[in-house]
Amino acid sequence: GNDITPAEMMQRADVALYAAKAAGRNCFQLYDASMDQARRDSRSLEVDLRNALIDGVGLYLLYQPIYDAESGAIVGAEALVRWQHPVRGSLSPDQFIPIAEDRGVIAELGLWVLKQACGFAANSDLPWIAVNVSPLQFADPNFSDRVMGVLTQCGLAPARLELEITEGLLLQDSAEVKDTLAKLRSAGITIALDDFGTGYSSISHLRNHEVDKLKIDQSFIRMIGRDQAAATIVRSIIEMAIALDMSVTAEGVEDDLQRERLKKLGCSSLQGYLLSRP
Ligand code: C2E
Ligand code: MG
Ligand code: MG
């Protein structure tokens, strides 16, 4: 209506701006009341998340084993965060990681996950534990020191930690990020590139040997046996990884056909519902 205060007008403009950012930026959005609701929702989730991080109540990790493709032995596990929200029920990371990133809670959440996962691994006989890291966590210039601090605190050898990063992080082409990755790797931590194939051009980063391992995105694995082009891409990724002396994990392995094909193609390790749910 025409009867709103200037302050309300500014607030709505802010809400529309927020919606435009959420829509991937580089666009405009007209304010409407449903946006307000979405914003209030994410604001209240932010507050709840901050509270959950204070007492640790409701947040927990699931662990999904990763298997050697040849022997079938468990070679490691990936930590996947969950949130049992008091009102909204069980939330998957896709429902709160983006909010944590947006609202400046991801550094704290990421550190909490790292501590939990490393503590768990230190008291297990798992060869290693993989932890997902948001690109925003790398904005902290002390990130590598923090990680090393957690390892010391938990008594976990660096060789037993794997950090999963995404292609977007490498795409930033930042000297600070490269420096942090180099520090982590020289300390003995493994760096895996998650969801490989869904981002943009990581080939040059592979050529420069900036990561140790590729995780082929489950969208490709799902197409094995259905789509010839996808199968060819999977084969090429595996061959490339082998040639570059990197290991490859296939994500989202759901059936025997996929497992057998991947084994034949020389994929080093497998993860997915067929073998074990998180
Ligand atoms: P991701 O790192 O690629 O993790 C694999 C996702 O695929 C997990 O979903 C897992 O439950 C699911 N999955 C595993 N096997 C199968 C399968 O055979 N079929 C299908 N359809 N799915 C399978 P989840 O746990 O919902 O996590 C989603 C994403 O959220 C993760 O994808 C990761 O990017 C992010 N995430 C999870 N935990 C964390 C965390 O602690 N920190 C950050 N920054 N991100 C996290
Ligand atoms: Mg992952
Ligand atoms: Mg993935």
Side-chain angles (χ1 to χ4, degrees):
N2 302 327
D3 49 357
I4 62 169
T5 63
E8 174 64 17
M9 176 87 85
M10 291 305 290
Q11 207 165 357
R12 291 186 182 183
D14 197 43
V15 167
L17 171 67
Y18 184 75
K21 282 184 178 170
R25 301 170 188 264
N26 220 353
C27 67
F28 68 88
Q29 294 282 322
L30 295 175
Y31 169 84
D32 81 64
S34 66
M35 288 176 182
D36 243 354
Q37 191 52 51
R39 185 179 170 85
R40 264 199 298 275
D41 271 9
S42 86
R43 213 171 239 161
S44 85
L45 270 187
E46 173 202 347
V47 171
D48 295 346
L49 188 55
R50 288 190 191 277
N51 284 327
L53 282 166
I54 292 172
D55 49 26
V57 172
L59 287 168
Y60 60 99
L61 301 183
L62 291 181
Y63 297 94
Q64 186 175 34
I66 299 172
Y67 297 81
D68 183 89
E70 271 308 314
S71 70
I74 291 181
V75 291
E78 177 176 8
L80 297 159
V81 68
R82 294 291 181 271
W83 186 13
Q84 184 63 41
H85 187 279
V87 178
R88 298 176 204 233
S90 168
L91 299 178
S92 72
D94 297 324
Q95 292 171 284
F96 61 92
I97 295 284
I99 291 170
E101 290 178 333
D102 245 40
R103 301 267 168 187
V105 197
I106 192 66
E108 210 183 320
L109 176 60
L111 197 60
W112 183 88
V113 168
L114 189 67
K115 282 182 188 159
Q116 294 286 313
C118 290
F120 174 83
N123 293 303
S124 77
D125 46 22
L126 281 171
W128 45 261
I129 190 80
V131 177
N132 293 283
V133 180
S134 161
L136 294 181
Q137 291 177 257
F138 281 82
D140 175 359
N142 296 319
F143 181 66
S144 59
D145 294 335
R146 272 187 225 290
V147 173
M148 295 312 294
V150 170
L151 289 175
T152 308
Q153 194 187 321
C154 296
L156 188 72
R160 293 182 66 200
L161 177 64
E162 183 169 305
L163 296 178
E164 296 194 0
I165 63 166
T166 49
E167 294 172 276
L169 181 73
L170 298 179
L171 196 70
Q172 291 173 15
D173 209 27
S174 131
E176 288 78 17
V177 168
K178 279 190 189 166
D179 186 53
T180 301
L181 286 173
K183 272 194 201 147
L184 293 165
R185 292 180 74 206
S186 67
I189 294 165
T190 303
I191 303 293
L193 203 46
D194 204 354
D195 305 332
F196 186 75
T198 57
Y200 298 97
S201 75
S202 336
I203 308 290
S204 64
H205 300 287
L206 304 187
R207 195 195 62 209
N208 294 332
H209 297 285
E210 286 164 26
V211 296
D212 306 289
K213 181 186 263 191
L214 300 182
K215 296 190 76 175
I216 307 177
D217 190 66
Q218 48 189 58
S219 59
F220 293 105
I221 308 306
R222 206 171 300 139
M223 297 312 284
I224 292 176
R226 290 195 232 166
D227 176 313
Q228 196 42 55
T232 305
I233 290 169
V234 169
R235 165 183 315 215
S236 308
I237 294 174
I238 294 170
E239 281 172 2
M240 180 177 67
I242 292 171
L244 290 170
D245 216 14
M246 300 170 73
S247 50
V248 210
T249 300
E251 296 188 85
V253 180
E254 291 185 350
D255 61 45
D256 274 315
L257 176 87
Q258 293 164 356
R259 172 170 55 188
E260 291 317 309
R261 292 272 169 89
L262 287 161
K263 258 167 80 171
K264 241 179 239 151
L265 293 173
C267 186
S268 24
S269 47
L270 309 175
Q271 177 179 6
Y273 293 168
L274 174 71
L275 303 139
S276 173
R277 294 203 167 237

